[in-house]
Amino acid sequence: MNIAIIKYNAGNVQSVQYALERLGYSAVVTDDHNEIKNADKVIFPGVGNAYSAMQSLKEKKLDELIKQLSQPVLGICVGMQLLCNHSEENDTTGLGIIDLNVKKFVSEKNNFKIPQMGWNNIYNLSSPLFEDVKEDSFVYYVHSYYAEIGKETIATTDYIFPYSAVIQKDNFYGVQFHTEKSAEVGDKILLNFLNLK
Amino acid sequence: MLAKRIIPCLDIKDGRTVKGINFENIRDAGDPVELAKIYSQQGADELVFLDITATIEKRKTLVELVKKLARNINIPFTVGGGISSVENVSELLQHGADKVSVNTAAYKRPELITEISDDFGSQCVVLAIDTKREDDGEWYVYLNGGRTKTATKTIDWAKQAVGLGAGEILLTSMNNDGTKNGFALEITSLLSNTLSVPVIASGGAGTVEHFKEVFEKANADAALAASIFHYKEIEIPGLKKYLKENNINIRL
């Protein structure tokens, strides 16, 4: 299987690559359009700021390319947020593939730490992506922005209020948490993604 | 619901794990990669590696270790010890570390926190504070692995650091460290209830009850310990089961 991890100026692509290696797969980290287009699976990682991530995608003309992909694509964290219409982080226009908006966490009573950092549950799991993953499994999150719940939500989580943990439209999947750092549950979800048709 | 985190800490010297008792008397406690694998399989939520011999010539050894760790474990980890520049940070993050912890260098040059946070996000900047309660009843910041006293109160430095972009505080009480008499509840609680970022309590864990206490009474987001895990006085599965049974939200 050819797996491409999109290389742009956002984040810890190395960890995603290592996670795939632990699962017995090798992946190329690349910004080459043909290599990405021809891959069987594409992983779109992201750590850091949504605006600078989007700028970096545009510089490499990867924004247009990603929209045209027809194989399974997995956006992780900021990668997931960029699949959406818009992010409140620096008023960033996203790729608009998934019809959701990304908003900043606000803890009104100041009783929730922001960013959310640590292990939280996923529930209402409804996708082959979660085969053999139990309801309320814990996965690892680090984020200050979240995608609302919509018809594209295929898993929910709750921090301050319920929001999208995982979203999907057609061949595009986005996970807010870090599959590559989420122990056995993360490994299982990555494997399920690789097994998607 | 966000779970409370249990974090084993591995002090690293020349690529091996050691633990200082009261910041002295270090003893070899094994290979860091093997220990890290065991801890992640046992359910540790995160790991912290502190390089206590972080001289320039040893930097390469640390980067090699980070690479090995990132290849071998599937949970997040923080690396610290002697980090004084964005270049140091970039190298560690690129090779798979999730966060870095800064201490003395950040105190001496607070802009370091902002530089790291601007380049890599505040989520990856852990400010480590070694603190000691003096006879006047106040908690002060200590530097250089606890050897140098400052006149700065811990709460003031912590607030300033969060304002500069620190995403998490790793608070070690020197009064409690190595005693096994429990965490420093008062200062942990003050920081946790004042700051907008998570606080990791460190120093003093001796029993499972101490962990329960620091989560319930001091509202810590995470609790860190070293030797009690390395010498198996407390094992992570048993600890987490105990906490779960006592209604602490824990990842099992």
Side-chain angles (χ1 to χ4, degrees), chain A residues 76-94:
Chain A
I76 300 176
C77 197
V78 172
M80 168 231 188
Q81 296 179 354
L82 290 181
L83 294 177
C84 298
N85 290 336
H86 177 266
S87 169
E88 285 184 357
E89 188 168 19
N90 300 88
D91 191 16
T92 303
T93 302

Side-chain angles (χ1 to χ4, degrees), chain A residues 1 13 20-21 39 41 43 56 65 91 146 150 155 159 163 192:
Chain A
M1 185 183 334
V13 293
L20 293 168
E21 280 174 16
K41 299 285 179 326
I43 298 184
S56 172
L65 177 80
D91 191 16
Y146 68 94
Y159 188 66
Y163 61 93
N192 287 342

Side-chain angles (χ1 to χ4, degrees), chain A residues 54 60 111 158 166:
Chain A
M54 195 63 200
K60 294 169 183 264
N111 48 354
D158 193 326
V166 189

